[in-house]
PDB file of all heavy atoms in Angstrom:
ATOM      1  N   SER A 210      52.319  27.364  25.474  1.00  0.00           N
ATOM      2  CA  SER A 210      52.836  26.104  24.948  1.00  0.00           C
ATOM      3  C   SER A 210      53.873  25.437  25.962  1.00  0.00           C
ATOM      4  O   SER A 210      54.196  24.283  25.835  1.00  0.00           O
ATOM      5  CB  SER A 210      53.453  26.230  23.696  1.00  0.00           C
ATOM      6  OG  SER A 210      52.596  26.629  22.666  1.00  0.00           O
ATOM      7  N   ARG A 288      32.138  47.085  -2.130  1.00  0.00           N
ATOM      8  CA  ARG A 288      30.788  46.330  -2.142  1.00  0.00           C
ATOM      9  C   ARG A 288      30.872  44.920  -1.988  1.00  0.00           C
ATOM     10  O   ARG A 288      31.669  44.239  -2.669  1.00  0.00           O
ATOM     11  CB  ARG A 288      30.085  46.724  -3.499  1.00  0.00           C
ATOM     12  CG  ARG A 288      29.912  48.185  -3.685  1.00  0.00           C
ATOM     13  CD  ARG A 288      29.160  48.809  -2.533  1.00  0.00           C
ATOM     14  NE  ARG A 288      27.834  48.295  -2.387  1.00  0.00           N
ATOM     15  CZ  ARG A 288      26.687  48.591  -3.064  1.00  0.00           C
ATOM     16  NH1 ARG A 288      26.856  49.559  -3.823  1.00  0.00           N
ATOM     17  NH2 ARG A 288      25.629  47.962  -2.782  1.00  0.00           N
ATOM     18  N   TYR A 292      28.630  42.469  -8.357  1.00  0.00           N
ATOM     19  CA  TYR A 292      27.555  42.924  -9.348  1.00  0.00           C
ATOM     20  C   TYR A 292      26.882  44.212  -8.740  1.00  0.00           C
ATOM     21  O   TYR A 292      25.958  44.735  -9.407  1.00  0.00           O
ATOM     22  CB  TYR A 292      26.608  41.834  -9.520  1.00  0.00           C
ATOM     23  CG  TYR A 292      27.309  40.456  -9.824  1.00  0.00           C
ATOM     24  CD1 TYR A 292      27.007  39.340  -9.015  1.00  0.00           C
ATOM     25  CD2 TYR A 292      28.025  40.490 -11.016  1.00  0.00           C
ATOM     26  CE1 TYR A 292      27.676  38.266  -9.401  1.00  0.00           C
ATOM     27  CE2 TYR A 292      28.876  39.292 -11.236  1.00  0.00           C
ATOM     28  CZ  TYR A 292      28.631  38.134 -10.445  1.00  0.00           C
ATOM     29  OH  TYR A 292      29.240  36.951 -10.767  1.00  0.00           O
ATOM     30  N   ARG A 341      35.235  46.941   6.930  1.00  0.00           N
ATOM     31  CA  ARG A 341      35.805  45.796   6.379  1.00  0.00           C
ATOM     32  C   ARG A 341      37.401  45.897   6.249  1.00  0.00           C
ATOM     33  O   ARG A 341      38.115  44.939   5.957  1.00  0.00           O
ATOM     34  CB  ARG A 341      35.101  45.573   4.930  1.00  0.00           C
ATOM     35  CG  ARG A 341      33.868  44.953   4.985  1.00  0.00           C
ATOM     36  CD  ARG A 341      33.195  44.763   3.786  1.00  0.00           C
ATOM     37  NE  ARG A 341      32.571  45.966   3.501  1.00  0.00           N
ATOM     38  CZ  ARG A 341      31.450  46.016   2.727  1.00  0.00           C
ATOM     39  NH1 ARG A 341      30.799  44.880   2.251  1.00  0.00           N
ATOM     40  NH2 ARG A 341      30.733  47.155   2.491  1.00  0.00           N
ATOM     41  N   GLN A 344      41.331  46.020   9.645  1.00  0.00           N
ATOM     42  CA  GLN A 344      42.669  45.380   9.836  1.00  0.00           C
ATOM     43  C   GLN A 344      43.414  45.271   8.578  1.00  0.00           C
ATOM     44  O   GLN A 344      44.146  44.265   8.371  1.00  0.00           O
ATOM     45  CB  GLN A 344      42.474  44.056  10.598  1.00  0.00           C
ATOM     46  CG  GLN A 344      41.822  44.145  12.018  1.00  0.00           C
ATOM     47  CD  GLN A 344      41.764  42.944  12.757  1.00  0.00           C
ATOM     48  OE1 GLN A 344      41.326  41.918  12.328  1.00  0.00           O
ATOM     49  NE2 GLN A 344      42.401  42.947  13.956  1.00  0.00           N
ATOM     50  N   ARG A 347      48.201  47.576   5.569  1.00  0.00           N
ATOM     51  CA  ARG A 347      48.896  48.457   4.606  1.00  0.00           C
ATOM     52  C   ARG A 347      48.134  49.783   4.458  1.00  0.00           C
ATOM     53  O   ARG A 347      48.755  50.904   4.417  1.00  0.00           O
ATOM     54  CB  ARG A 347      48.898  47.814   3.312  1.00  0.00           C
ATOM     55  CG  ARG A 347      49.892  46.579   3.317  1.00  0.00           C
ATOM     56  CD  ARG A 347      51.371  46.930   3.460  1.00  0.00           C
ATOM     57  NE  ARG A 347      52.213  45.938   3.589  1.00  0.00           N
ATOM     58  CZ  ARG A 347      52.570  45.136   2.555  1.00  0.00           C
ATOM     59  NH1 ARG A 347      52.348  45.509   1.226  1.00  0.00           N
ATOM     60  NH2 ARG A 347      53.329  44.159   2.685  1.00  0.00           N
ATOM     61  N   GLU A 371      41.374  45.001  19.633  1.00  0.00           N
ATOM     62  CA  GLU A 371      41.764  44.994  18.199  1.00  0.00           C
ATOM     63  C   GLU A 371      41.496  46.306  17.449  1.00  0.00           C
ATOM     64  O   GLU A 371      42.289  46.741  16.670  1.00  0.00           O
ATOM     65  CB  GLU A 371      40.956  43.909  17.509  1.00  0.00           C
ATOM     66  CG  GLU A 371      41.290  42.519  18.027  1.00  0.00           C
ATOM     67  CD  GLU A 371      40.448  41.345  17.417  1.00  0.00           C
ATOM     68  OE1 GLU A 371      39.350  41.728  17.079  1.00  0.00           O
ATOM     69  OE2 GLU A 371      40.767  40.267  17.567  1.00  0.00           O
ATOM     70  N   GLU A 377      46.253  52.341  16.877  1.00  0.00           N
ATOM     71  CA  GLU A 377      47.618  52.431  17.162  1.00  0.00           C
ATOM     72  C   GLU A 377      48.452  52.430  15.957  1.00  0.00           C
ATOM     73  O   GLU A 377      49.500  53.165  15.887  1.00  0.00           O
ATOM     74  CB  GLU A 377      47.985  51.261  18.127  1.00  0.00           C
ATOM     75  CG  GLU A 377      49.228  51.386  18.893  1.00  0.00           C
ATOM     76  CD  GLU A 377      49.205  52.198  20.217  1.00  0.00           C
ATOM     77  OE1 GLU A 377      48.182  52.608  20.403  1.00  0.00           O
ATOM     78  OE2 GLU A 377      50.271  52.290  20.779  1.00  0.00           O
ATOM     79  N   TYR A 378      48.056  51.624  14.917  1.00  0.00           N
ATOM     80  CA  TYR A 378      49.013  51.647  13.712  1.00  0.00           C
ATOM     81  C   TYR A 378      48.917  53.053  12.970  1.00  0.00           C
ATOM     82  O   TYR A 378      49.964  53.528  12.535  1.00  0.00           O
ATOM     83  CB  TYR A 378      48.314  50.722  12.606  1.00  0.00           C
ATOM     84  CG  TYR A 378      48.870  49.351  12.679  1.00  0.00           C
ATOM     85  CD1 TYR A 378      48.242  48.255  13.369  1.00  0.00           C
ATOM     86  CD2 TYR A 378      49.903  48.914  11.771  1.00  0.00           C
ATOM     87  CE1 TYR A 378      48.759  47.039  13.375  1.00  0.00           C
ATOM     88  CE2 TYR A 378      50.442  47.666  11.854  1.00  0.00           C
ATOM     89  CZ  TYR A 378      49.869  46.593  12.570  1.00  0.00           C
ATOM     90  OH  TYR A 378      50.387  45.352  12.622  1.00  0.00           O
ATOM     91  N   ARG A 395      28.380  42.191  14.681  1.00  0.00           N
ATOM     92  CA  ARG A 395      27.617  41.062  14.156  1.00  0.00           C
ATOM     93  C   ARG A 395      27.273  40.178  15.287  1.00  0.00           C
ATOM     94  O   ARG A 395      28.204  39.754  16.014  1.00  0.00           O
ATOM     95  CB  ARG A 395      28.434  40.341  13.176  1.00  0.00           C
ATOM     96  CG  ARG A 395      27.430  39.596  12.322  1.00  0.00           C
ATOM     97  CD  ARG A 395      28.011  39.461  10.892  1.00  0.00           C
ATOM     98  NE  ARG A 395      27.021  40.041   9.959  1.00  0.00           N
ATOM     99  CZ  ARG A 395      27.246  40.109   8.666  1.00  0.00           C
ATOM    100  NH1 ARG A 395      28.398  39.513   8.129  1.00  0.00           N
ATOM    101  NH2 ARG A 395      26.472  40.652   7.772  1.00  0.00           N
ATOM    102  N   GLY A 465      19.682  52.403   0.470  1.00  0.00           N
ATOM    103  CA  GLY A 465      18.385  53.176   0.585  1.00  0.00           C
ATOM    104  C   GLY A 465      17.722  52.749   1.782  1.00  0.00           C
ATOM    105  O   GLY A 465      17.128  53.698   2.399  1.00  0.00           O
TER     106      GLY A 465
ATOM    107  N   SER B 106      12.619  51.057   1.215  1.00  0.00           N
ATOM    108  CA  SER B 106      12.366  52.323   1.540  1.00  0.00           C
ATOM    109  C   SER B 106      11.007  52.817   0.964  1.00  0.00           C
ATOM    110  O   SER B 106      10.539  53.811   1.309  1.00  0.00           O
ATOM    111  CB  SER B 106      13.449  53.335   1.158  1.00  0.00           C
ATOM    112  OG  SER B 106      14.554  52.993   1.756  1.00  0.00           O
ATOM    113  N   ARG B 184      49.511  41.609  11.360  1.00  0.00           N
ATOM    114  CA  ARG B 184      49.484  41.344  12.884  1.00  0.00           C
ATOM    115  C   ARG B 184      48.545  42.319  13.543  1.00  0.00           C
ATOM    116  O   ARG B 184      48.655  43.685  13.298  1.00  0.00           O
ATOM    117  CB  ARG B 184      50.942  41.580  13.356  1.00  0.00           C
ATOM    118  CG  ARG B 184      51.913  40.478  12.769  1.00  0.00           C
ATOM    119  CD  ARG B 184      51.489  39.025  13.042  1.00  0.00           C
ATOM    120  NE  ARG B 184      51.187  38.726  14.451  1.00  0.00           N
ATOM    121  CZ  ARG B 184      52.085  38.222  15.286  1.00  0.00           C
ATOM    122  NH1 ARG B 184      53.251  37.984  14.842  1.00  0.00           N
ATOM    123  NH2 ARG B 184      51.796  38.040  16.550  1.00  0.00           N
ATOM    124  N   TYR B 188      53.287  46.290  17.405  1.00  0.00           N
ATOM    125  CA  TYR B 188      54.439  45.875  18.137  1.00  0.00           C
ATOM    126  C   TYR B 188      54.859  44.348  17.979  1.00  0.00           C
ATOM    127  O   TYR B 188      55.713  43.989  18.626  1.00  0.00           O
ATOM    128  CB  TYR B 188      54.234  46.280  19.655  1.00  0.00           C
ATOM    129  CG  TYR B 188      53.738  47.635  19.727  1.00  0.00           C
ATOM    130  CD1 TYR B 188      52.591  48.004  20.395  1.00  0.00           C
ATOM    131  CD2 TYR B 188      54.511  48.669  19.265  1.00  0.00           C
ATOM    132  CE1 TYR B 188      52.200  49.386  20.465  1.00  0.00           C
ATOM    133  CE2 TYR B 188      54.075  49.990  19.333  1.00  0.00           C
ATOM    134  CZ  TYR B 188      52.919  50.278  19.966  1.00  0.00           C
ATOM    135  OH  TYR B 188      52.381  51.611  20.070  1.00  0.00           O
ATOM    136  N   ASP B 221      51.763  43.523  -3.568  1.00  0.00           N
ATOM    137  CA  ASP B 221      52.595  42.311  -3.435  1.00  0.00           C
ATOM    138  C   ASP B 221      52.265  41.134  -4.272  1.00  0.00           C
ATOM    139  O   ASP B 221      53.062  40.132  -4.178  1.00  0.00           O
ATOM    140  CB  ASP B 221      52.605  41.818  -1.913  1.00  0.00           C
ATOM    141  CG  ASP B 221      53.090  42.998  -0.949  1.00  0.00           C
ATOM    142  OD1 ASP B 221      53.664  43.958  -1.431  1.00  0.00           O
ATOM    143  OD2 ASP B 221      52.726  42.981   0.202  1.00  0.00           O
ATOM    144  N   ARG B 237      41.199  38.412   7.808  1.00  0.00           N
ATOM    145  CA  ARG B 237      41.000  39.884   7.850  1.00  0.00           C
ATOM    146  C   ARG B 237      41.004  40.634   6.513  1.00  0.00           C
ATOM    147  O   ARG B 237      40.510  41.778   6.566  1.00  0.00           O
ATOM    148  CB  ARG B 237      42.314  40.458   8.751  1.00  0.00           C
ATOM    149  CG  ARG B 237      42.101  40.203  10.171  1.00  0.00           C
ATOM    150  CD  ARG B 237      43.303  40.600  10.964  1.00  0.00           C
ATOM    151  NE  ARG B 237      44.259  39.610  10.939  1.00  0.00           N
ATOM    152  CZ  ARG B 237      45.127  39.378  11.963  1.00  0.00           C
ATOM    153  NH1 ARG B 237      45.029  40.156  13.052  1.00  0.00           N
ATOM    154  NH2 ARG B 237      45.993  38.423  12.001  1.00  0.00           N
ATOM    155  N   GLN B 240      37.368  40.801   2.774  1.00  0.00           N
ATOM    156  CA  GLN B 240      36.699  41.752   1.844  1.00  0.00           C
ATOM    157  C   GLN B 240      37.479  42.921   1.647  1.00  0.00           C
ATOM    158  O   GLN B 240      37.018  44.037   1.444  1.00  0.00           O
ATOM    159  CB  GLN B 240      35.418  42.254   2.829  1.00  0.00           C
ATOM    160  CG  GLN B 240      34.403  41.018   2.925  1.00  0.00           C
ATOM    161  CD  GLN B 240      33.199  41.512   3.586  1.00  0.00           C
ATOM    162  OE1 GLN B 240      32.986  42.136   4.572  1.00  0.00           O
ATOM    163  NE2 GLN B 240      31.964  41.073   2.947  1.00  0.00           N
ATOM    164  N   GLU B 267      28.493  36.184   2.089  1.00  0.00           N
ATOM    165  CA  GLU B 267      29.575  37.136   1.972  1.00  0.00           C
ATOM    166  C   GLU B 267      30.819  36.490   1.540  1.00  0.00           C
ATOM    167  O   GLU B 267      31.574  37.103   0.744  1.00  0.00           O
ATOM    168  CB  GLU B 267      29.698  37.959   3.243  1.00  0.00           C
ATOM    169  CG  GLU B 267      28.499  38.928   3.531  1.00  0.00           C
ATOM    170  CD  GLU B 267      28.682  39.381   5.072  1.00  0.00           C
ATOM    171  OE1 GLU B 267      29.395  38.853   5.906  1.00  0.00           O
ATOM    172  OE2 GLU B 267      27.861  40.404   5.293  1.00  0.00           O
ATOM    173  N   GLU B 273      33.623  35.055  -5.516  1.00  0.00           N
ATOM    174  CA  GLU B 273      33.174  35.482  -6.762  1.00  0.00           C
ATOM    175  C   GLU B 273      33.950  36.582  -7.434  1.00  0.00           C
ATOM    176  O   GLU B 273      34.032  36.664  -8.703  1.00  0.00           O
ATOM    177  CB  GLU B 273      31.627  36.013  -6.634  1.00  0.00           C
ATOM    178  CG  GLU B 273      30.824  36.190  -7.856  1.00  0.00           C
ATOM    179  CD  GLU B 273      30.079  34.898  -8.339  1.00  0.00           C
ATOM    180  OE1 GLU B 273      30.290  33.846  -7.698  1.00  0.00           O
ATOM    181  OE2 GLU B 273      29.427  35.074  -9.287  1.00  0.00           O
ATOM    182  N   TYR B 274      34.457  37.508  -6.595  1.00  0.00           N
ATOM    183  CA  TYR B 274      35.419  38.484  -7.042  1.00  0.00           C
ATOM    184  C   TYR B 274      36.665  37.920  -7.672  1.00  0.00           C
ATOM    185  O   TYR B 274      36.971  38.300  -8.824  1.00  0.00           O
ATOM    186  CB  TYR B 274      35.874  39.433  -5.907  1.00  0.00           C
ATOM    187  CG  TYR B 274      35.035  40.602  -5.590  1.00  0.00           C
ATOM    188  CD1 TYR B 274      34.066  40.649  -4.677  1.00  0.00           C
ATOM    189  CD2 TYR B 274      35.379  41.840  -6.326  1.00  0.00           C
ATOM    190  CE1 TYR B 274      33.320  41.838  -4.495  1.00  0.00           C
ATOM    191  CE2 TYR B 274      34.565  43.110  -6.063  1.00  0.00           C
ATOM    192  CZ  TYR B 274      33.580  43.014  -5.050  1.00  0.00           C
ATOM    193  OH  TYR B 274      32.876  44.030  -4.947  1.00  0.00           O
ATOM    194  N   ARG B 291      33.749  34.300  15.002  1.00  0.00           N
ATOM    195  CA  ARG B 291      33.661  34.894  16.333  1.00  0.00           C
ATOM    196  C   ARG B 291      32.230  34.771  16.897  1.00  0.00           C
ATOM    197  O   ARG B 291      31.194  35.244  16.485  1.00  0.00           O
ATOM    198  CB  ARG B 291      33.970  36.462  16.175  1.00  0.00           C
ATOM    199  CG  ARG B 291      34.456  37.081  17.527  1.00  0.00           C
ATOM    200  CD  ARG B 291      35.517  38.005  17.299  1.00  0.00           C
ATOM    201  NE  ARG B 291      36.868  37.578  17.850  1.00  0.00           N
ATOM    202  CZ  ARG B 291      37.892  38.433  17.816  1.00  0.00           C
ATOM    203  NH1 ARG B 291      37.841  39.544  17.220  1.00  0.00           N
ATOM    204  NH2 ARG B 291      39.104  38.021  18.153  1.00  0.00           N
ATOM    205  N   GLY B 361      52.454  30.258  18.819  1.00  0.00           N
ATOM    206  CA  GLY B 361      53.019  28.969  19.491  1.00  0.00           C
ATOM    207  C   GLY B 361      51.875  28.211  20.204  1.00  0.00           C
ATOM    208  O   GLY B 361      51.835  27.034  20.198  1.00  0.00           O
TER     209      GLY B 361
END
Side-chain angles (χ1 to χ4, degrees):
Chain A
S210 298
R288 299 305 302 275
Y292 309 123
R341 283 176 275 213
Q344 293 188 310
R347 294 290 175 83
E371 289 168 347
E377 192 87 356
Y378 268 92
R395 203 146 243 179
Chain B
S106 298
R184 299 305 302 275
Y188 309 122
D221 299 340
R237 283 175 274 212
Q240 293 188 312
E267 288 168 348
E273 192 87 356
Y274 267 91
R291 202 145 245 178

